[in-house]
């Protein structure tokens, strides 16, 4: 039976609370093992270890060596690829086919891209004239921010945790990570890789537990944590922001969304179907950048709905390790209950259920898993909760529109602003429409095409700040301007 422990100061340890919670396989509801629940004592110990690491070998390590160590961490993840793959898919239920191409490779790449960025992205320097004519030089220098609190989500556990830990360590910080209680294993496993790669003890720490009145809250409230980065639901972000205000700590948030896709009649229909299918149903609809609202130009509405439904009907739900599987369960029975409550609400609100809307019949032990059917609705008003609220499941509502102005208005009619996709082969339309979409990330004729140097994050209630490239370096460092009089 698996036992997932905390990782503090380079060592695995149990909880002083003497409490553990079950880790459940969402494919069949079976217990995978137990996870130690961290309390205030564990968070205090982890933050203290992180603080001490900032005055030890890690602080004295030359930047070049630090980046080599981070490449060694990436090597370590790649060397133990199958171990990370199996752990991630056991925790999440996601198919090997997704984790093999997205989650685990990005788990390594997120260290490499920022180890390289910190060596190549310049800071600014200005020469200035001075009244005495001798002049002065201004040089901006990046310095570590300090101890970073990282609260990472359950949908892409390794990817989204290393998306934060990679740049944080590249900038010379130390971190205390509180992974989601649903998916603790790969974050815990990374501790071994950190030790093997030569990351000094205390630089990378992991404490497991829950949010309120548990490890998550204790971490965000800890006064010796200099900044907090979080990916997850907007209302949790609000609570973290309130905690961060005490001590004026900086925050970086990637929060919720209700992302639109705009499909124009002049699109490449095959590409629009393929791309929208992925953006709605990938990872069982549990991707923050995913589409839940699809707006289709009226002249192609019926054809688009029919073809998307036909494609969605071909998903093979099954075990992660089955090569035929292209959709897993939701991450937990709790999340299944939430998604199914929206499936019921849609029926109550009179939606046309084009496909799905329930629980699939699954064979054998899989019948005890957190499964839901890929689902497509039409016919609801824009005021419907189905169209307004983030569901985070394999489902979308499709609505027709008649012109570009209406499409843009519909897309922007949401308190969120994370991602969007538009499908059109008219270049003028693409350049006209995309800047008018209120979203931090907008794809045209693509989805989830990711250049890690680009700004990544949401506006409105979808987040604060940007990650990616220099934007991550900006958050994970303090810039000091040094003015030198000649
Ligand atoms: O691709 C990324 O860097 C990223 O952060 C993906 C986020 C997905 C959230 O569900």
């Amino acid at each position: 039976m698996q036992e997932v422990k905390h990782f503090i100061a380079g060592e695995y340890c149990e909880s002083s609370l003497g409490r553990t919670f079950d880790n459940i396989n969402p494919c069949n509801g079976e217990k995978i093992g137990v996870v130690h629940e961290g309390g205030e004592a564990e968070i205090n110990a982890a933050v203290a270890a992180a603080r001490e690491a900032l005055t030890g070998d890690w602080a004295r390590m030359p930047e070049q060596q630090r980046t080599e160590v981070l490449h060694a961490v990436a090597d370590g993840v790649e060397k133990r690829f199958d171990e990370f793959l199996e752990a991630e898919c056991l925790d999440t239920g996601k198919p090997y086919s997704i984790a093999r191409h997205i989650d685990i490779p990005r788990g390594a790449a997120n260290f490499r891209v920022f180890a390289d960025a910190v060596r190549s992205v310049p800071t600014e320097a200005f020469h200035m004239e001075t009244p005495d004519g001798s002049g002065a030089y201004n040089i901006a220098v990046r310095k570590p921010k300090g101890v970073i609190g990282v609260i990472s989500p359950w949908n892409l556990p390794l990817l989204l945790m290393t998306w934060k830990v990679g740049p944080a360590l590249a900038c010379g910080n130390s971190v205390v990570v509180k992974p989601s209680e649903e998916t603790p294993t790969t974050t815990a496993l990374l501790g071994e890789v950190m030790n093997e790669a030569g990351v000094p003890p205390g630089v990378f720490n992991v404490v497991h537990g829950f949010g309120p009145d548990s490890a998550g809250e204790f971490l965000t409230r800890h006064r010796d944590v200099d900044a907090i980065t979080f990916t997850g639901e907007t209302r949790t972000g609000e609570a973290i922001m309130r905690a961060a205000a005490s001590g004026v700590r900086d925050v970086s948030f990637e929060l919720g969304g209700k992302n639109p896709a705009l499909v124009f009649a002049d699109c490449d229909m095959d590409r629009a179907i393929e791309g929208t299918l992925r953006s709605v149903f990938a990872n069982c609809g549990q991707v923050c950048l995913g589409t839940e609202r699809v707006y289709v130009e009226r002249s192609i509405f019926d054809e688009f709905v029919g073809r998307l439904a036909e494609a969605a009907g071909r998903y093979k739900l099954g075990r992660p390790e089955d090569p035929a599987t292209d959709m897993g369960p939701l991450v937990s029975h709790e999340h299944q209950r939430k998604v199914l409550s929206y499936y019921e609400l849609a029926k109550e609100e009179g939606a046309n259920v084009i496909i799905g809307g329930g629980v699939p019949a699954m064979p054998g032990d899989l019948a005890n898993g957190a499964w839901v059917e890929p689902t497509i609705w039409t016919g609801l008003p824009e005021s419907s909760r189905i169209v307004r609220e983030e569901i985070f499941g394999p489902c979308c509502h499709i609505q027709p529109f008649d012109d570009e102005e209406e499409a843009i208005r519909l897309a922007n009619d949401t308190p969120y602003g994370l991602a969007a996709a538009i499908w059109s082969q008219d270049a003028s339309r693409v350049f006209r429409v995309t800047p008018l979409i209120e979203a931090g990330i907008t794809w045209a004729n693509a989805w989830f095409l990711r250049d890690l140097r680009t700004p990544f994050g949401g506006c409105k209630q979808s987040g604060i700040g940007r990650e990616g490239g220099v934007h991550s370096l900006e958050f994970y460092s303090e810039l000091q301007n040094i003015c030198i009089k000649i």
Side-chain angles (χ1 to χ4, degrees), residues 11 47 70 133 143 151 154 159 162 244 261 325 430 449 452:
E11 295 182 0
V47 172
L70 292 181
K143 298 161 78 171
I151 301 186
W154 47 255
L159 185 157
T162 58
T325 298
V430 167
L449 204 51
L452 305 185

Side-chain angles (χ1 to χ4, degrees), residues 106 155-156 159-160 163 254 287-289 448 450 452 456:
R106 277 288 307 279
N155 60 325
L156 299 154
L159 185 157
L160 282 168
W163 180 236
E254 187 212 329
V287 181
C288 52
L289 305 165
F448 207 75
R450 289 283 293 114
L452 305 185
F456 178 97

Side-chain angles (χ1 to χ4, degrees), residues 287-307:
V287 181
C288 52
L289 305 165
T291 301
E292 292 195 6
R293 296 182 292 140
V294 184
Y295 298 101
V296 179
E297 195 160 2
R298 195 175 298 276
S299 60
I300 60 165
F301 181 81
D302 291 341
E303 180 191 359
F304 185 89
V305 171
R307 287 187 56 180

